[in-house]
Amino acid sequence: MCRHLAYLGPPVTLAEVLFDPPHSLVRQSWAPRDMRGGGTINADGFGVGWYPGEGEPVRYRRAQPIWSDPTIAQLAAVTRSAAVVAAVRSATVGMAVLDGAAAPFAQGRWLFSHNGVIRGWPDSMVPLAAALPVRDLLTLDAATDSALLWALVRHRLRAGVDAGEAVGRTVTDVAAAAPGSRLNVLLTDGHRVVASVVGHALSVRKTPGSVLLASEPHDDDPGWRSVPEGHLVVATADEMRVRPLPTPVRRAGRAGDG
């Protein structure tokens, strides 16, 4: 299992998102509150993506615990952005631990993160993967379920499918092919963020002019709200909508993933 977040709003330092809150993403890397059977810590890598302007995002990814990398703390203190995606990773047993396996994944202006596991990997995904261009399969960032999930979403984005529809349809397709999967996804282009909730928790804090989505609330602010299971969030800094996923998905089990 992993922990992840997405922020849209007035420019903030990365430290304000990653380090400063009492239950920040960095703290969740070694003291998560809600792993749901998917390990105990998130020490198998981390990644941060942010938008320095209207161009493509910048990423920093490493295959080590976020607390053991001195560079990210220094970088976070001096880097500001109005849009951030970050994740800390607990690798599923048998999957690679390397820089390319850490979210966020990226192409163009898109950043993507997956908190969860695809059951029956890789056999359960063979029919869906077969519909992808061969080049996409040969150029995955890593041989992991998260990288393939990103390839499936990206394929729909390239075909002109709306971001919310691309995430919703992909998640329900994967849930049908691999029942019991955990499929909490974050996708953003720096202006809008889409998030799915399947098998794990996601909380949202919406304020005038900003939105923060996170696997776990970062503090005791009463503004945090839990997103219901089987729902999709589509948000900008100014507005947010929560709706059911296109079709019902079976709730994930609680054991054996990581």
Side-chain angles (χ1 to χ4, degrees):
M1 200 58 62
C2 309
R3 311 277 79 191
H4 62 190
L5 66 81
Y7 168 82
L8 299 175
V12 296
T13 65
L14 299 184
E16 290 176 76
V17 178
L18 300 178
F19 288 89
D20 294 350
H23 192 61
S24 66
L25 187 69
V26 171
R27 184 176 180 86
Q28 290 173 38
S29 68
W30 56 268
R33 292 172 175 166
D34 186 7
M35 291 290 280
R36 302 202 181 186
T40 56
I41 60 174
N42 298 283
D44 296 319
F46 71 93
V48 186
W50 67 94
Y51 295 78
E54 286 302 315
E56 296 183 0
V58 176
R59 286 184 300 165
Y60 183 84
R61 299 190 293 172
R62 292 292 181 269
Q64 65 190 77
I66 192 171
W67 68 76
S68 70
D69 184 339
T71 302
I72 186 58
Q74 297 172 344
L75 184 67
V78 298
T79 303
R80 300 178 66 84
S81 179
V84 181
V85 172
V88 291
R89 183 174 184 238
S90 176
T92 301
V93 175
M95 293 195 186
V97 177
L98 68 165
D99 291 357
F105 301 97
Q107 183 163 339
R109 282 193 58 83
W110 296 108
L111 290 173
F112 175 90
S113 178
H114 168 221
N115 170 19
V117 62
I118 295 178
R119 300 296 188 190
W121 171 268
D123 295 336
S124 61
M125 288 295 97
V126 170
L128 293 180
L132 292 174
V134 173
R135 188 179 189 282
D136 285 5
L137 297 175
L138 294 176
T139 56
L140 291 175
D141 283 21
T144 65
D145 54 357
S146 296
L148 179 65
L149 188 60
W150 164 230
L152 293 169
V153 171
R154 183 181 61 190
H155 187 57
R156 285 191 158 114
L157 294 172
R158 287 173 175 169
V161 177
D162 172 77
E165 186 74 6
V167 169
R169 287 166 56 186
T170 300
V171 164
T172 53
D173 284 353
V174 172
S181 296
R182 300 183 187 278
L183 302 167
N184 279 31
V185 162
L186 292 174
L187 174 71
T188 188
D189 62 358
H191 298 291
R192 179 173 57 156
V193 61
V194 177
S196 62
V197 181
V198 178
H200 216 302
L202 183 73
S203 294
V204 177
R205 187 176 67 194
K206 183 74 185 72
T207 65
S210 74
V211 64
L212 177 61
L213 302 93
S215 298
E216 301 179 13
H218 292 182
D219 51 35
D220 295 326
D221 189 317
W224 286 102
R225 296 288 183 269
S226 295
V227 180
E229 171 74 14
H231 280 66
L232 191 76
V233 180
V234 179
T236 66
D238 297 315
E239 60 182 4
M240 181 176 70
R241 291 178 290 127
V242 180
R243 64 175 188 262
L245 284 160
T247 58
V249 294
R250 185 181 305 176
R251 187 175 180 84
R254 293 184 62 87
D257 56 333

